[in-house]
Amino acid sequence: MREQVRRELQGYVRTISGNCRALMEETARLACFVEDLLKYPDLYDTSIDGIEERYTRIGPGLMLLEDGKLYINAASGGVPLNDRIKRELRLLEHAKPRLKDAYTSLRYCDEMWFFTTETLASGYVEYEYIGDAPPQGIDLTQIHAMRIIRLNWFDIVKPEHNPEKRGVWSPFPFIDLFGQWIFSYHYPVFEKGEFKGAFVPHANIRPMLEDSIHLGESMMLAIHDDSTLIGMNGAARAAFDLEPYEYRPWENIVQAVPYVRNELDLMRCPSQDFVWLADGIKWQNEFELSIEGTNYTVLSERVPEIGMNLVALVKS
C-alpha cells in the first residue's frame, strides 16, 4: 500500500513539474522575443496615428481590449503618455500572437503578463477585471508598496537580487487581484542592458491539484515549504477540520494577504498535530505521526520548482 501511494505521489510530481517547466521555457522565449522587439523597433510598425481612436481612455491612461477582453495592452498613466510611450505601447502589440499562443497552450497559465517599469502592461488574462485595467494612474512598480499584492513583481528579478538574470518563482503561493490562488513566475527583460520590466505569468493552483491529490483515494494534502496549506483532496477534507482556500470574490483584496498568513499557515494551526506534520515534511519524506488520535504513515514528495509538497496519510 505504501509503495503504491508513493508511486502515485511521484507520478503527480512529474506531471506538475513538467507543466511548470513548460511555463518556464515558454516565458524565457517570450522574454527574448520582446527584447528583440525593443532592440529592433524599426522592423515593426510603431505608427501612433489613430491610437487614441483604437484605444480607450482610462483616466490618464490608455487601454486596448481585444479577443473578447482576453487581450489587454495598456499604459496606466503612472508615467505621462508622451509619444515615446505611445510608440512603445504600439510596439508591444506585435507580441500579441506569441502571448496568445503561450496563454492557450500552457495548462497552468491563466494570465500571461509583461509589465514595464514605466507602467505598461501587455498580456492575456482569463478573468475580466472589475474596474480599470490596469488601475488608472497607478505606478505599477508601487503596487506592492501600496499593499495591494503580497509580492513585488520587479524586485524579485532586478539585477541586484538576481545577477544571473534567471527566471524566479514566487517564494510562496498567494491570492491575486482576481481572487485566484496562484504561483507566479518572474522573468526579467532588459533594454540596452538596463532593466526594463518582467514577464509574470500566473500558474493557477486549481489545475495543479486536479492533476495530483484530487486523483488520489488516500487522504492527501498539498503543503508549501513555508507550511502554507495549499489544498486537500476529498478524503482529507472529510477527515480533518481544515479549510483550504477556495475561490471567492473579495470586497477588499488587501485582506487576502493576512488571510493567507493567518488562516492557511499550518504552523499557526490550533491542532499541534498539524504543526508537527508541516514541520516533519521539511526534514523527512516518510515518518509515523499520530493525528487526532489515529496513527498514520506520512509519505511526501516535493515539486521542486514551486516548493509544493504532496503529502499522503496512510493509516498505520
Side-chain angles (χ1 to χ4, degrees):
M1 177 66 173
R2 294 183 189 181
E3 289 307 311
Q4 177 184 340
V5 174
R6 171 75 67 192
R7 287 193 295 270
E8 288 178 10
L9 293 177
Q10 290 170 342
Y12 300 155
V13 165
R14 285 193 294 271
T15 297
I16 297 174
S17 186
N19 280 295
C20 286
R21 288 197 302 270
L23 184 147
M24 295 163 66
E25 292 164 3
E26 184 58 32
T27 303
R29 286 190 286 267
L30 281 168
C32 289
F33 178 76
V34 168
E35 285 184 347
D36 281 346
L37 278 181
L38 297 168
K39 187 175 182 180
Y40 305 109
D42 294 344
L43 298 179
Y44 300 90
D45 179 8
T46 57
S47 171
I48 58 175
D49 294 340
I51 194 169
E52 294 279 354
E53 289 73 34
R54 294 178 56 238
Y55 281 66
T56 301
R57 270 282 176 183
I58 303 292
L62 285 175
M63 178 174 65
L64 177 67
L65 289 176
E66 293 181 338
D67 279 7
K69 298 185 178 181
L70 291 177
Y71 173 69
I72 299 172
N73 198 50
S76 77
V79 170
L81 274 173
N82 56 30
D83 285 352
R84 180 183 65 82
I85 293 291
K86 290 179 181 178
R87 281 193 293 271
E88 189 165 295
L89 198 60
R90 178 72 182 91
L91 180 65
L92 290 179
E93 288 184 48
H94 295 285
K96 177 184 175 182
R98 299 288 296 268
L99 289 168
K100 184 175 184 178
D101 287 347
Y103 162 79
T104 55
S105 66
L106 295 169
R107 169 149 172 75
Y108 297 156
C109 181
D110 65 3
E111 299 179 42
M112 175 58 79
W113 284 110
F114 172 54
F115 298 112
T116 80
T117 58
E118 292 187 302
T119 74
L120 275 66
S122 188
Y124 267 81
V125 58
E126 187 169 326
Y127 315 101
E128 185 174 345
Y129 275 102
I130 299 172
D132 301 329
Q136 56 177 286
I138 285 182
D139 182 345
L140 296 178
T141 65
Q142 298 302 310
I143 285 183
H144 172 68
M146 296 166 65
R147 299 184 180 179
I148 296 176
I149 61 174
R150 183 177 176 187
L151 188 67
N152 189 310
W153 287 323
F154 301 113
D155 279 2
I156 195 171
V157 287
K158 280 184 175 178
E160 57 265 35
H161 302 133
N162 183 36
E164 298 87 0
K165 300 181 180 179
R166 297 182 300 185
V168 180
W169 283 95
S170 58
F172 39 68
F174 62 98
I175 299 168
D176 75 357
L177 297 177
F178 296 101
Q180 298 296 320
W181 190 217
I182 68 161
F183 288 95
S184 56
Y185 183 65
H186 303 241
Y187 201 96
V189 172
F190 293 84
E191 181 181 20
K192 298 179 180 177
E194 298 296 321
F195 182 75
K196 180 70 175 180
F199 266 93
V200 188
H202 288 188
N204 198 297
I205 289 171
R206 175 182 46 78
M208 295 183 190
L209 301 182
E210 291 173 353
D211 286 347
S212 58
I213 64 173
H214 288 333
L215 299 174
E217 295 182 4
S218 302
M219 287 179 280
M220 293 186 178
L221 305 87
I223 302 172
H224 192 257
D225 285 348
D226 71 357
S227 302
T228 298
L229 176 62
I230 296 176
M232 305 168 68
N233 70 354
R237 295 189 71 164
F240 305 122
D241 187 23
L242 295 175
E243 287 293 332
Y245 179 69
E246 298 286 350
Y247 168 78
R248 69 173 187 263
W250 291 80
E251 292 184 7
N252 181 2
I253 196 64
V254 176
Q255 297 172 353
V257 174
Y259 165 81
V260 173
R261 289 174 171 166
N262 296 330
E263 302 298 327
L264 299 180
D265 184 355
L266 289 178
M267 299 305 286
R268 299 175 182 237
C269 185
S271 170
Q272 187 67 26
D273 295 340
F274 289 101
V275 175
W276 283 110
L277 175 65
D279 188 59
I281 61 173
K282 296 177 182 178
W283 320 110
Q284 310 163 82
N285 69 359
E286 182 171 342
F287 57 97
E288 303 298 317
L289 182 66
S290 176
I291 301 178
E292 298 180 352
T294 301
N295 294 326
Y296 296 96
T297 298
V298 179
L299 305 173
S300 67
E301 293 289 339
R302 184 174 181 272
V303 182
E305 291 80 7
I306 54 177
M308 182 167 73
N309 302 278
L310 305 182
V311 181
L313 304 177
V314 180
K315 287 185 179 179
S316 300

